[in-house]
Amino acid sequence: MAYNKKKHLRANIDAIKTAFILERENRLATSAEREILAGYSGFGAIKEILEPLPANGSANPLVNELHDVLRENTRDEKEYKRFFDGLKNSILTAFYTPPEVVNALAGAFYDSGIKPSRLLDPSAGAGVFAQAFKPLSPDMEVTCFEKDPITGMILKYLHQEDKVRVEGFENIEKKYAGYYDITTSNIPFGDVAVFDPAFFSDNDRARKLSSRSIHNYFFLKSVDMVRPGGLVAFITSQGVLNSPANRPVRESLMSSCEPVSIIRLPNNLFSEYAGTEVGSDLVILQRNEKKTVLSQRQKDFIESRKLSNGISVNNLFRDFSRVVQTHSKTDTDPYGKPAIVFTHEGGIEGIAKDLRQMLKEDFSRYLDLKHYQSHAQDTVELVQSQTVAATNIKPTLNPGEPRFSDDLDPFWQAIEDDWFPNDNQTGAVKPTIENKPEPQKQQRRYSGQGTLFDTDDTAIQKEPAMEAPPRQAITQEPLISLYDLFGLSKEERSQQGRPNREGSSSQKRSHNRKIPFHGMARAVALPGNAKEKATGKGTPQEQEGTSVKR
């Protein structure tokens, strides 16, 4: 089936309209609205939106409608430009993965006994990876990152029960290192630098190198985020494995991971859903830092060789047995460089069927299920112990009492209190990680910012709005009397705040001097973390310039 550009543009506009309506009305999506949102496929092949609008509008009425929808639902020209720039930045790389292929991946994991409790998608797009894994593990905790503000807005209404962070993956906190069972996605690619202070301060050459190319960065950062025995499963560009320049990155990956499955995908994988032909690989790694001697398979993962025709190929591809294809030829890649182009004549269904069979073979040979499950049990016990400990630290809310977005689950409160006691010494604000609703407020427009912790502007109402009882103001006595601090007499105390219309100008200045008693009392008595919340310190800033590939 050929890619229908007009059909995809129409579906994208309808999804964006629906998301803006939900944002404006501050409510959940209905089943019918979620179906419309699910039709969103990005703008990877719709280059027409890049053309400057003439004075009387574009010749394409759908492009005009897209601009009208954005202008009508943004507060000003700056916000409109930010939303539209997000779409433009995704034109060359936003190729959404066919659901059938992701279902084959999730099904192969399930058949092998992998049922993740915590899944991370660092470049979620419309959330097709989370959608595929969720039915196989219904109680799974899902965290999704999506940098593009429009796509992120759609994502959070498609996955209303999950944690959605509308920001770059580089903003994930270090406390999540070793937290997830599986990290999976179709990751961004390109020579786009990522600013991650943890990587710049590291003396590891490979980590510094990876920060210059976003696809390499996503691999190393994601390995950090999975626990021992955990899995990283990415669809990525062929350059990760083929390029000689990426050898230090591959060495770094093999120092802590075993290659479970390395499969080359056909160039026509994205033809029906994104209208483009591009080579890509499925790379599945399992974290294992105990092994000190490299296996031959790990050595092959690291090495690449150049063929007589100038094409670089990773050593794991000694023949076509690990390539999903029915036909191959020597041609050029999208950048004009020599490449082997693979196609599959069975369409998406044929690709998914062959992929699942290859994954079954690889998992039976290279997946260490015992290692995965042993550490999964450790994680379960950790959660249980932290939950029990937390119930002794923080009282739970009374039945029926509304829960506000700045409350933490007992487990997470224990983490904040016990695991990271020095957070506030660095000026960081203790945030909440749940994507919970607040009592209904006045209508507001989409802010484009959203994190696990910042729920004020991004929380989605999951239940009918209820009127919250007014919060009681909590007062705290100053640690020292300000009257005593400034040495004021009783007479001066009684006259403080009264207008003085008599006396000399010097007396007026003396009696009317402005001492900010209430403000100073707050400054003296305010706890450290509350002060930081009041001043806004600790809010992470979104990094710009990240390309997106789904």
Side-chain angles (χ1 to χ4, degrees):
M1 182 176 63
Y3 180 80
N4 188 322
K5 190 175 295 187
K6 181 178 179 181
K7 178 182 176 182
H8 281 265
L9 181 54
R10 174 74 269 164
N12 286 348
I13 293 173
D14 290 343
I16 293 172
K17 282 183 178 179
T18 302
F20 274 126
I21 291 173
L22 294 170
E23 192 73 13
R24 184 169 58 251
E25 296 179 0
N26 193 27
R27 62 176 176 83
L28 296 179
T30 65
S31 57
E33 288 169 330
R34 293 185 73 166
E35 186 174 346
I36 295 173
L37 294 170
Y40 184 79
S41 59
F43 289 80
I46 310 176
K47 299 179 178 60
E48 285 74 9
I49 70 169
L50 291 174
E51 300 174 2
L53 284 178
N56 56 351
S58 171
N60 188 328
L62 288 177
V63 173
N64 289 330
E65 183 179 353
L66 173 64
H67 283 275
D68 290 342
V69 169
L70 295 179
R71 290 190 183 278
E72 291 169 3
N73 291 279
T74 49
R75 291 170 293 188
D76 49 35
E77 185 68 17
K78 182 179 179 181
E79 187 176 50
Y80 157 78
K81 188 176 184 300
R82 182 170 63 83
F83 274 67
F84 186 65
D85 284 349
L87 297 183
K88 290 196 301 182
N89 291 338
S90 70
I91 291 295
L92 297 178
T93 56
F95 306 142
Y96 282 23
T97 314
E100 295 89 341
V101 171
V102 187
N103 290 339
L105 172 64
F109 273 122
Y110 185 82
D111 293 343
S112 300
I114 302 294
K115 300 177 183 178
S117 298
R118 297 168 180 169
L119 181 141
L120 169 66
D121 187 337
S123 181
V128 64
F129 282 81
Q131 187 67 32
F133 277 85
K134 203 67 178 286
L136 306 179
S137 188
D139 297 327
M140 179 177 62
E141 174 190 333
V142 176
T143 302
C144 294
F145 280 80
E146 174 50 50
K147 186 159 187 145
D148 172 50
I150 285 183
T151 306
M153 180 171 61
I154 291 171
L155 176 67
K156 75 175 185 177
Y157 289 111
L158 271 174
H159 294 268
Q160 298 165 150
E161 69 283 3
D162 297 329
K163 301 183 181 80
V164 174
R165 299 182 63 163
V166 188
E167 59 181 330
F169 178 43
E170 63 272 16
N171 289 331
I172 191 169
E173 294 78 10
K174 63 181 180 180
K175 67 176 70 176
Y176 294 107
Y179 178 74
Y180 295 96
D181 299 311
I182 290 182
T183 299
T184 184
S185 190
N186 184 343
I187 62 174
F189 67 89
D191 293 329
V192 178
V194 180
F195 178 70
D196 186 333
F199 275 50
F200 278 91
S201 61
D202 201 304
N203 292 326
D204 189 333
R205 174 172 170 262
R207 291 171 76 85
K208 290 184 178 180
L209 177 65
S210 73
S211 65
R212 301 174 190 171
S213 300
I214 192 167
H215 45 275
N216 291 330
Y217 169 81
F218 267 60
F219 266 99
L220 294 186
K221 187 71 172 180
S222 295
V223 169
D224 290 345
M225 295 300 112
V226 296
R227 58 170 176 77
L231 295 149
V232 173
F234 283 160
I235 293 178
T236 184
S237 66
Q238 294 180 356
V240 172
L241 294 177
N242 287 351
S243 174
N246 287 334
R247 190 180 193 279
V249 175
R250 295 193 293 268
E251 287 179 336
S252 180
L253 290 172
M254 290 301 95
S255 69
S256 59
C257 296
E258 293 282 349
V260 175
S261 183
I262 311 297
I263 298 176
R264 185 138 289 177
L265 300 170
N267 290 58
N268 62 331
L269 172 64
F270 301 100
S271 297
E272 295 182 17
Y273 283 81
T276 189
E277 292 195 358
V278 61
S280 59
D281 292 333
L282 172 60
V283 178
I284 303 178
L285 308 175
Q286 184 171 22
R287 185 168 178 177
N288 182 9
E289 296 175 320
K290 293 183 178 180
K291 193 169 182 179
T292 57
V293 179
L294 292 180
S295 66
Q296 185 58 49
R297 186 169 167 81
Q298 287 175 308
K299 293 177 182 177
D300 287 340
F301 181 94
I302 293 171
E303 300 293 341
S304 64
R305 66 194 186 282
K306 184 165 288 190
L307 306 180
S308 58
N309 54 10
I311 299 174
S312 293
V313 180
N314 186 271
N315 278 5
L316 286 174
F317 298 110
R318 297 185 181 276
D319 52 39
F320 292 172
S321 64
R322 307 318 297 160
V323 182
V324 179
Q325 55 91 30
T326 59
H327 179 74
S328 63
K329 65 177 180 179
T330 301
D331 204 335
T332 57
D333 63 16
Y335 306 100
K337 296 180 180 180
I340 302 176
V341 176
F342 299 100
T343 56
H344 198 295
E345 297 173 353
I348 296 301
E349 291 75 14
I351 293 172
K353 180 181 178 181
D354 288 355
L355 175 63
R356 187 159 184 168
Q357 181 60 36
M358 286 188 181
L359 288 171
K360 180 181 179 181
E361 296 170 2
D362 285 346
F363 287 176
S364 65
R365 296 179 62 185
Y366 304 115
L367 176 63
D368 190 342
L369 184 60
K370 183 178 179 180
H371 188 45
Y372 174 88
Q373 291 177 335
S374 63
H375 287 278
Q377 183 61 35
D378 293 343
T379 304
V380 170
E381 293 173 356
L382 175 63
V383 173
Q384 293 173 345
S385 64
Q386 290 294 329
T387 303
V388 171
T391 58
N392 297 325
I393 299 173
K394 294 288 182 180
T396 56
L397 295 172
N398 295 325
E401 183 179 354
R403 184 166 191 157
F404 296 97
S405 61
D406 56 350
D407 293 322
L408 293 176
D409 276 340
F411 170 60
W412 289 107
Q413 187 63 61
I415 291 180
E416 289 291 342
D417 291 344
D418 296 340
W419 288 11
F420 305 98
N422 296 322
D423 277 355
N424 286 319
Q425 294 180 11
T426 62
V429 178
K430 280 189 177 182
T432 176
I433 79 159
E434 292 192 316
N435 196 7
K436 293 181 179 176
E438 291 183 296
Q440 185 151 5
K441 299 180 180 180
Q442 63 181 6
Q443 296 178 355
R444 55 177 181 268
R445 295 183 183 273
Y446 180 65
S447 67
Q449 301 288 334
T451 71
L452 286 176
F453 306 121
D454 280 326
T455 56
D456 286 345
D457 286 334
T458 62
I460 304 172
Q461 191 129 3
K462 297 186 179 178
E463 298 177 356
M466 58 182 294
E467 184 175 353
R471 298 195 184 196
Q472 298 296 322
I474 299 176
T475 59
Q476 183 174 352
E477 291 298 324
L479 301 179
I480 183 173
S481 169
L482 293 178
Y483 295 122
D484 296 333
L485 179 64
F486 286 92
L488 299 179
S489 64
K490 290 184 178 181
E491 183 181 36
E492 288 176 315
R493 298 183 192 189
S494 63
Q495 293 179 356
Q496 190 63 38
R498 296 179 185 176
N500 187 356
R501 297 186 175 87
E502 298 179 1
S504 65
S505 59
S506 61
Q507 289 175 326
K508 290 180 181 180
R509 285 194 299 271
S510 174
H511 287 288
N512 289 331
R513 54 181 173 176
K514 295 182 179 179
I515 301 175
F517 287 105
H518 301 291
M520 291 184 64
R522 286 197 295 269
V524 171
L526 198 62
N529 62 336
K531 190 189 303 180
E532 289 164 0
K533 289 182 180 179
T535 59
K537 293 181 181 179
T539 303
Q541 298 299 318
E542 183 175 2
Q543 306 298 322
E544 298 295 334
T546 302
S547 299
V548 180
K549 180 184 176 187
R550 315 292 168 219

